[in-house]
Amino acid sequence: MKAQITKWLNIGFLLLGLVLFVVFLIKMDHREVLAQVRRVGFNFVGAFSCYVLGLWVTTHAWKAILDSTRSRASFLDLFLAFWVGHAVNEVTPTGSMGEVLKGTMLRDKVESDELIASIVVFNFLSTFSMQVFVLLGPLLSLCLLDLPADIVWLLFGIAVLFFIPISGLFFLLRRGAAGLLVKLLLKLPFVRTKDPEAWAAKAKAIDDKVRGFYRNRPRDFWRSIFFYACARLLQAAELWFILLALLPEKNPGWLFLVAVLIQTASQLLSWAMTFVPGQLGVAEGGMAMLFRLLGLSSLLGFSMEVVRRARRVLGILIGLVIGWSLGISLRPMKARCL
């Protein structure tokens, strides 16, 4: 019953997002939007290249986190698993199914506790690096750009609020999140297991790996941080290529700083509206409003997000095709998870 409710809620939010998208498209005049989208032209190739490079360097971060002595996975294995998992995360609410899929694809090539620990560390460092980038965007804008300060300060304040749960997650990881979760599960009356000690031992092994990553492998830790930083810059560069076409009269350096700020707002919107699949309609409307508040054209903001939506759809399709070609099925994956 719960699964059915979740399913219909997802469909409902998706339809609501689609309606919002159509309403905004009509309000903006679809012919004007199409004209702006066409202006992007060859710059779309640059934006999509930044997206693929972002996946590539993020995979390097994941490879640095994995203990090579306990993994037989090649870089290509990791890259394909990451792209497929990323594509699934893009089309599912909360973005968790893709993480399970990554583990499913690599279960025969990486030891199970190492794989789980690497995914936990990977997602924490990914979120943390994104959070730092989100905080950096408004600060750079306040120092270097002549944009409405009240709007920029508002974005910074929201970013700080989102940083609070990240700090809580760090505390849980230091305390042993897997062990705490297993203890909680074993106390539930409907959870039965023949060997609770084995569960606890597996959880302890995972926690030890998560907490010991920096202490035991500092070089790999800083390598992963470097690749995460490159990935965040590439996300801004993707927007920059689009803005270069939409605002050719503006200075390229100024546009890059604006791209960093826009990436901040886009990520905050994505976190806040994670229950809307792909943030359809919400992202486009949010960017139109942000551009207007910053003294730019709301039409350009909406058009930029439409181009970005096209890039996302292309990236998702490629990821799903890769998964299909490798024989990946979501239904067996769900069964294994249960």
Side-chain angles (χ1 to χ4, degrees):
M1 178 65 70
K2 184 178 178 180
Q4 287 294 324
I5 293 175
T6 302
K7 174 184 175 182
W8 286 109
L9 280 175
N10 293 339
I11 294 174
F13 282 123
L14 181 62
L15 292 175
L16 178 60
L18 182 60
V19 170
L20 284 174
F21 180 83
V22 173
V23 169
F24 281 121
L25 187 62
I26 295 173
K27 185 177 179 180
M28 294 287 173
D29 188 339
H30 68 279
R31 288 166 297 187
E32 288 293 329
V33 172
L34 182 59
Q36 295 298 329
V37 170
R38 285 175 175 171
R39 288 179 61 186
V40 175
F42 190 73
N43 281 35
F44 183 82
V45 177
F48 188 76
S49 298
C50 288
Y51 165 75
V52 176
L53 282 173
L55 296 179
W56 185 77
V57 299
T58 306
T59 304
H60 272 291
W62 188 12
K63 186 171 177 60
I65 293 169
L66 272 171
D67 186 347
S68 59
T69 63
R70 306 193 62 188
S71 169
R72 295 182 293 103
S74 65
F75 178 82
L76 181 60
D77 293 327
L78 296 174
F79 181 69
L80 295 179
F82 181 70
W83 197 331
V84 174
H86 175 73
V88 171
N89 282 340
E90 286 284 309
V91 296
T92 54
T94 71
S96 58
M97 190 63 70
E99 303 310 305
V100 180
L101 183 53
K102 293 174 191 176
T104 301
M105 293 177 66
L106 297 172
R107 67 188 185 280
D108 296 327
K109 298 181 180 180
V110 185
E111 294 182 22
S112 60
D113 56 336
E114 178 64 27
L115 181 58
I116 296 172
S118 74
I119 292 176
V120 170
V121 174
F122 172 85
N123 280 286
F124 172 74
L125 290 180
S126 177
T127 305
F128 182 80
S129 65
M130 177 58 76
Q131 183 66 67
V132 171
F133 193 81
V134 163
L135 289 169
L136 185 63
L139 291 177
L140 288 175
S141 298
L142 289 168
C143 295
L144 302 174
L145 296 178
D146 184 21
L147 293 173
D150 54 342
I151 302 302
V152 180
W153 275 115
L154 177 61
L155 290 174
F156 180 73
I158 297 173
V160 171
L161 290 177
F162 272 102
F163 189 72
I164 295 174
I166 301 300
S167 303
L169 179 59
F170 175 78
F171 175 76
L172 286 175
L173 290 176
R174 294 298 300 171
R175 288 289 304 274
L180 292 173
L181 179 61
V182 167
K183 289 179 181 178
L184 178 62
L185 288 174
L186 292 177
K187 290 180 180 180
L188 297 176
F190 52 83
V191 174
R192 296 286 184 270
T193 176
K194 296 181 179 179
D195 193 358
E197 290 79 12
W199 277 39
K202 179 73 72 174
K204 184 178 183 303
I206 293 170
D207 286 330
D208 288 343
K209 290 180 179 300
V210 170
R211 289 180 291 192
F213 177 48
Y214 173 74
R215 182 177 63 252
N216 300 329
R217 296 161 54 208
R219 185 176 178 180
D220 288 335
F221 173 82
W222 288 112
R223 282 182 62 228
S224 68
I225 294 298
F226 169 76
F227 286 122
Y228 279 123
C230 291
R232 302 304 165 230
L233 290 174
L234 284 167
Q235 286 180 319
E238 176 190 336
L239 286 169
W240 181 65
F241 270 103
I242 300 172
L243 291 175
L244 283 173
L246 296 178
L247 294 166
E249 70 281 2
K250 298 291 186 179
N251 180 278
W254 184 88
L255 285 176
F256 188 82
L257 291 174
V258 170
V260 174
L261 180 64
I262 292 172
Q263 180 59 29
T264 289
S266 178
Q267 187 59 56
L268 292 174
L269 189 63
S270 176
W271 286 336
M273 297 294 174
T274 185
F275 52 86
V276 179
Q279 289 75 58
L280 179 63
V282 176
E284 288 79 6
M287 283 301 105
M289 181 181 297
L290 177 66
F291 269 56
R292 183 177 181 180
L293 292 173
L294 293 176
L296 301 171
S297 168
S298 57
L299 174 65
L300 291 181
F302 186 87
S303 302
M304 181 205 72
E305 200 59 40
V306 169
V307 175
R308 208 176 180 201
R309 175 76 57 189
R311 191 281 299 156
R312 290 178 69 182
V313 170
L314 179 59
I316 290 169
L317 287 176
I318 293 175
L320 295 179
V321 168
I322 291 172
W324 174 79
S325 66
L326 294 175
I328 304 300
S329 172
L330 291 181
R331 185 166 296 177
M333 180 190 68
K334 290 180 181 178
R336 283 191 289 269
C337 294
L338 294 174

